[in-house]
Amino acid sequence: MRNFQQKRGFRNILHSRPFLVLFGILIFVFAYGVVGFMSKMQATIEKRKLVENKVIELQKKKETLSANIAKLQTESGVEESIRDKFGLAKEGEGAIIIVEDKNVSEAPPKKLGGFFSFFINLFK
């Protein structure tokens, strides 16, 4: 009989209002922590995607630079680079320089009229 009363006393403590309020607050704190964790996890996933894209971009840049270095290690690559940077030519080669004509007249802008000018131009 005494064992039954001890179990009943434990149940009374579990079913008391202060314990239920404390238990509810504890559940709320854990739920708040889970929501915060999920938002941080989502932000981490987005940052990871950005970093992966950056890594891919850097790998492409590395390949491009490696190709340029390999090209500059050859004699023809050095010659091409010098020609591009300084505009030099070999003996016997000529250069063509294209100059734009500064005297080209521009067409005058069209006048935008109002509502009545539309009807006046309609009957001309």
Side-chain angles (χ1 to χ4, degrees):
M1 180 80 173
R2 186 170 192 106
N3 192 13
F4 179 72
Q5 287 177 349
Q6 285 177 348
K7 287 182 182 178
R8 190 172 183 209
F10 184 68
R11 279 190 194 154
N12 285 341
I13 292 172
L14 289 179
H15 290 274
S16 67
R17 287 185 190 253
F19 181 78
L20 291 176
V21 169
L22 180 65
F23 190 65
I25 291 171
L26 188 65
I27 288 175
F28 179 74
V29 168
F30 282 130
Y32 184 75
V34 168
V35 170
F37 176 74
M38 289 176 65
S39 66
K40 288 180 184 178
M41 192 170 75
Q42 189 68 23
T44 304
I45 289 170
E46 291 174 6
K47 287 180 183 179
R48 181 178 177 184
K49 287 179 184 177
L50 289 174
V51 170
E52 286 176 350
N53 290 339
K54 182 78 171 180
V55 167
I56 292 170
E57 180 182 322
L58 289 173
Q59 286 175 345
K60 288 180 183 177
K61 189 172 182 179
K62 179 183 175 185
E63 291 173 3
T64 304
L65 291 174
S66 297
N68 287 343
I69 289 172
K71 184 177 176 183
L72 287 175
Q73 289 177 347
T74 62
E75 189 174 321
S76 63
V78 171
E79 181 181 336
E80 182 182 339
S81 175
I82 292 173
R83 284 178 180 235
D84 287 342
K85 288 182 182 177
F86 302 112
L88 299 177
K90 288 183 179 179
E91 284 187 36
E93 290 183 343
I96 298 174
I97 300 174
I98 300 173
V99 180
E100 293 183 24
D101 189 13
K102 294 182 180 179
N103 295 331
V104 176
S105 62
E106 295 180 14
K110 294 182 180 180
K111 292 184 179 180
L112 297 176
F115 180 73
F116 294 110
S117 65
F118 171 73
F119 285 113
I120 293 172
N121 290 334
L122 185 66
F123 295 112
K124 282 187 177 180

